[in-house]
Amino acid sequence: MVSAPIKLGLIGAGPWGQVYIKAIDGIEGVQLAHLASRNPQKNSLVGPEVKISLDWQEVISDETLAGIIIATPPAHHAEMACAAIDAGKAVLIEKPMTLDLAAANSIREKVASCQCLVMVEHTHLFRPAFREIKRRSSELGPLRGLWSSAGDWGPYRTNTPVLWDRGSHEVALAVGFWGQPPESIETHVLECRETEDGFGANYNLKLEFSGSAIADLYFGNIIDRHRRFAVFFDRVVLAYDDSEPGQLLEYSAQKDIGEPRGNYRTILIDQEMPLSIAVKEFALAISIGDFSSVSAEQGLEVIKILSQCQEQIEK
């Protein structure tokens, strides 16, 4: 007997919402059943079997749906997520969870008071490379620190500051690895300026965790496109680089936390798209009644850290 597909609703069909549409279409046992969007091209983005609404509340109230994916500008996330929780729906929220701590806490309070599933789609926590490093971490001795560097020329968003847009990725990597809040935070603005396309900025965040372990994070939207990530153990450094996809890079141990250097050997890994993994795990959690709050707590912790960073910048 073939089980019925998990029916999902999607709010938002902007650039990232369209990536969700493609990802869901490729996952067996998961069906996009209702889309809410004001995108003029929305009718051409989905098949005739998908109901389309202009009003996002119609998706929330659709009793045929088991879960809601929110892929709107983050200023709307808290209102939509809380409404979906009240309607008894599981929720997958695109990062960042919100743009301020009060809004994130409103979601947490809902999660605490209701038996519900809320996940935050911090894309890089679903990367096979990140997960493989974390899986191997218990075999490699104490975790000394991690380093990341990522950016591009853009995007120049008017609805999400660079710190919150790109910074949520890098902070989530640190929170996802340590599973606890940092003991101290330093925020450094490396460069900021107006460009022809909008405001640009590059940042460095230094997060210190228990045991003097450091997360040294570089990111921005006025820098050449790249993503590099490394985790430092006593005996080895494991890293990945988007210019060398489908493999981990294993370096000899090095004293300083920074960009890995020297010779390395490669370890082949899976290349499944992180967003597909996120949607699969969301659907699986719905199907088995998993109400774990781990992802929501991580999302909240990322917002706490970014709020502190914002306060440091504004002083």
Side-chain angles (χ1 to χ4, degrees), residues 36-257:
S37 175
R38 296 184 180 276
N39 186 333
Q41 299 177 327
K42 58 186 176 296
N43 292 289
S44 65
L45 299 174
V46 296
E49 73 283 358
V50 179
K51 183 177 180 180
I52 299 177
S53 298
L54 292 176
D55 187 348
W56 61 267
Q57 295 186 35
E58 292 183 11
V59 175
I60 298 293
S61 61
D62 186 338
E63 295 182 356
T64 70
L65 304 178
I68 305 291
I69 298 172
I70 300 173
T72 65
H76 304 295
H77 287 180
E79 179 186 10
M80 293 175 175
C82 288
I85 294 169
D86 285 341
K89 304 290 197 302
V91 186
L92 177 60
I93 310 171
E94 183 51 38
K95 70 82 194 166
M97 187 180 194
T98 62
L99 288 179
D100 65 79
L101 187 55
N105 274 320
S106 70
I107 297 174
R108 182 190 189 186
E109 290 169 4
K110 286 284 186 183
V111 172
S113 62
C114 304
Q115 191 177 36
C116 61
L117 172 68
V118 174
M119 292 174 56
V120 182
E121 201 281 305
H122 289 294
T123 300
H124 299 295
L125 298 188
F126 298 93
R127 288 179 70 121
F130 174 84
R131 290 187 164 188
E132 182 63 16
I133 295 176
K134 192 168 182 180
R135 186 188 70 79
R136 292 170 178 254
S137 63
S138 62
E139 309 165 0
L140 300 174
L143 173 61
R144 296 179 47 241
L146 64 81
W147 170 90
S148 72
S149 180
D152 200 353
W153 294 100
Y156 305 96
R157 305 189 195 279
T158 58
N159 52 39
T160 311
V162 181
L163 175 66
W164 294 76
D165 186 25
R166 289 199 169 274
S168 60
H169 282 310
E170 309 316 309
V171 171
L173 287 168
V175 170
F177 225 98
W178 268 282
Q180 60 181 308
E183 295 181 347
S184 67
I185 300 170
E186 292 181 18
T187 308
H188 304 278
V189 181
L190 304 178
E191 182 180 5
C192 60
R193 56 186 167 87
E194 287 290 340
T195 74
E196 292 181 358
D197 300 308
F199 180 74
N202 295 331
Y203 295 91
N204 169 225
L205 308 184
K206 295 184 183 295
L207 313 180
E208 183 172 352
F209 293 82
S210 61
S212 299
I214 297 292
D216 196 9
L217 314 174
Y218 294 84
F219 59 91
N221 68 340
I222 44 175
I223 191 171
D224 289 343
R225 181 180 179 85
H226 71 285
R227 168 162 291 284
R228 297 188 288 274
F229 177 78
V231 183
F232 296 75
F233 302 94
D234 275 350
R235 302 198 303 270
V236 72
V237 178
L238 288 180
Y240 58 80
D241 187 326
D242 276 2
S243 67
E244 302 185 60
Q247 57 190 22
L248 293 182
L249 312 177
E250 181 182 294
Y251 296 81
S252 298
Q254 63 184 62
K255 180 179 179 181
D256 299 324
I257 307 300

Side-chain angles (χ1 to χ4, degrees), residues 265-303:
R265 75 178 185 95
T266 60
I267 303 169
L268 297 181
I269 56 170
D270 180 44
Q271 293 192 67
E272 185 174 5
M273 293 294 292
L275 187 65
S276 295
I277 295 173
V279 174
K280 284 181 181 179
E281 293 186 1
F282 180 55
L284 177 61
I286 292 171
S287 69
I288 65 176
D290 180 2
F291 302 113
S292 171
S293 63
V294 171
S295 181
E297 290 294 338
Q298 287 179 335
L300 175 63
E301 186 58 45
V302 169
I303 300 307

